Amino acid sequence: FFLDSVCVSAKRAFKEKIYDGKGSLIKIGFGLSAGNAVQGAIGSSKKIDATYISENVDMAETLEGLTKSYNVPLLMSGAFHFLLSGERQMECREVDQLYDNVYGETKTIKIYTWDMDLDNYWEKKTEKMKRAASFYKVKARKSFARRFSVIDPSKTRGNLGSVDLEQNMINNYEGEKLHMNSEEKMEALLTGPYDETEFTKLSKIRDKFDKSFFDEFNNALECYCRQDWRDAKKKFESMISKYDDGPSEYFLQEIMKNDGLPPRDFDGYGSI
């Protein structure tokens, strides 16, 4: 129904994203900052919500929005980065340096990300669907076996042989799922498509981020900040070709937007 008014190419692209794409259709960005905040209740006599108010809260919200521009799942402020252990800080990448105007005062901030190659972790949806289907068939067989074991053969009159037992089992289990309690649903979630290799696969999100990755990006960003955009363009294009890097795409778009020439007042800092 919702696709009836969509053109053929857009409809095809949407279906490919659903059935052939990796990961979740919903992408969530996270903005992390640190500092003081005021907690209080805001609302009216009809509805009151607890909330936090401060420039640090605003910064976290701003960073969450910027994840879309830099095409990364997570961005953190320098204040948050400072609180990390030395080992974790070494794993982070400085993405950009920005001017932030807070209550009439201009501050300079650095933003960082902890790179994650989520596509390398996710299996294709079709494979996960096959695993899920296999799981539910097994559960259906067990469910049907329990019910069949209490059937009196003398009352079946041979009718069982004329039906698709496996399809009946699946249908029975699909109906049974609707009546599961919370514990049974949790068991299905934990013992279904999930397997014990999930935690091992989590390490794959960092596989491609070796020393050469960080060195190449830092060199490109250094060229960009010192207004050597010709060399920066080549380096960012190389990063995109090798790593499909989101921040590199952002900087390349900035270069192309200005026809390859830095603005006269450009000093290496962007603005929020």
Side-chain angles (χ1 to χ4, degrees):
F1 171 77
F2 296 102
L3 297 178
D4 288 345
S5 60
V6 178
C7 68
V8 176
S9 59
K11 188 183 298 185
R12 185 185 303 114
F14 180 72
K15 289 182 177 180
E16 288 176 356
K17 185 176 182 180
I18 292 177
Y19 296 109
D20 297 330
K22 294 181 180 180
S24 172
L25 288 175
I26 301 174
K27 307 296 182 184
I28 301 177
F30 296 89
L32 305 176
S33 190
N36 297 325
V38 176
Q39 180 187 15
I42 293 180
S44 65
S45 58
K46 296 182 179 180
K47 186 177 186 296
I48 296 179
D49 293 319
T51 189
Y52 295 87
I53 301 174
S54 79
E55 62 184 71
N56 301 304
V57 176
D58 294 341
M59 174 56 66
E61 184 178 358
T62 299
L63 292 175
E64 185 275 327
L66 287 175
T67 58
K68 301 178 181 68
S69 299
Y70 292 94
N71 195 22
V72 292
L74 181 150
L75 284 174
M76 66 186 81
S77 66
F80 188 93
H81 180 261
F82 177 77
L83 297 177
L84 300 177
S85 66
E87 185 178 359
R88 297 286 85 81
Q89 287 182 359
M90 292 293 292
E91 294 178 354
C92 296
R93 171 169 52 141
E94 181 182 333
V95 173
D96 204 355
Q97 49 189 13
L98 304 169
Y99 285 122
D100 182 25
N101 193 306
V102 182
Y103 305 120
E105 180 184 357
T106 300
K107 297 181 179 180
T108 59
I109 63 168
K110 291 184 178 182
I111 58 175
Y112 301 82
T113 188
W114 192 81
D115 291 287
M116 293 173 272
D117 182 15
L118 298 178
D119 286 344
N120 198 30
Y121 167 74
W122 286 102
E123 293 179 327
K124 289 202 171 187
K125 290 183 179 62
T126 51
E127 293 300 319
K128 298 195 77 173
M129 290 169 66
K130 288 178 182 178
R131 290 172 58 197
S134 175
F135 158 70
Y136 286 127
K137 280 187 178 181
V138 171
K139 292 289 286 187
R141 291 190 184 98
K142 292 180 179 178
S143 174
F144 186 78
R146 289 196 301 269
R147 296 177 183 182
F148 185 74
S149 63
V150 297
I151 294 177
D152 184 353
S154 63
K155 297 180 180 180
T156 62
R157 298 180 182 178
N159 291 331
L160 286 178
S162 62
V163 298
D164 186 339
L165 293 182
E166 183 173 357
Q167 187 59 49
N168 273 0
M169 288 189 286
I170 295 174
N171 293 339
N172 287 339
Y173 184 65
E174 289 297 322
E176 184 179 279
K177 283 195 298 180
L178 299 177
H179 304 288
M180 282 183 175
N181 59 39
S182 58
E183 291 184 359
E184 290 172 331
K185 288 179 180 178
M186 181 59 69
E187 178 189 358
L189 175 64
L190 295 179
T191 60
Y194 174 84
D195 62 60
E196 60 184 10
T197 64
E198 292 292 324
F199 286 107
T200 303
K201 290 192 290 184
L202 275 175
S203 63
K204 293 179 183 242
I205 65 177
R206 293 287 292 183
D207 279 353
K208 74 178 183 181
F209 303 115
D210 53 12
K211 186 176 183 299
S212 61
F213 169 84
F214 290 99
D215 289 342
E216 287 186 44
F217 179 80
N218 290 337
N219 289 336
L221 185 60
E222 183 180 349
C223 292
Y224 180 85
C225 292
R226 68 166 184 256
Q227 302 187 21
D228 184 5
W229 281 17
R230 183 177 180 179
D231 198 17
K233 180 176 180 293
K234 295 178 181 179
K235 294 181 184 297
F236 284 132
E237 287 175 339
S238 175
M239 286 290 297
I240 295 170
S241 174
K242 291 180 181 179
Y243 304 105
D244 193 23
D245 184 49
S248 295
E249 290 181 357
Y250 168 80
F251 288 115
L252 185 61
Q253 290 175 5
E254 290 295 306
I255 293 173
M256 301 301 291
K257 186 168 61 178
N258 291 277
D259 297 324
L261 298 174
R264 290 185 177 181
D265 59 347
F266 180 75
D267 57 0
Y269 284 81
S271 59
I272 295 179

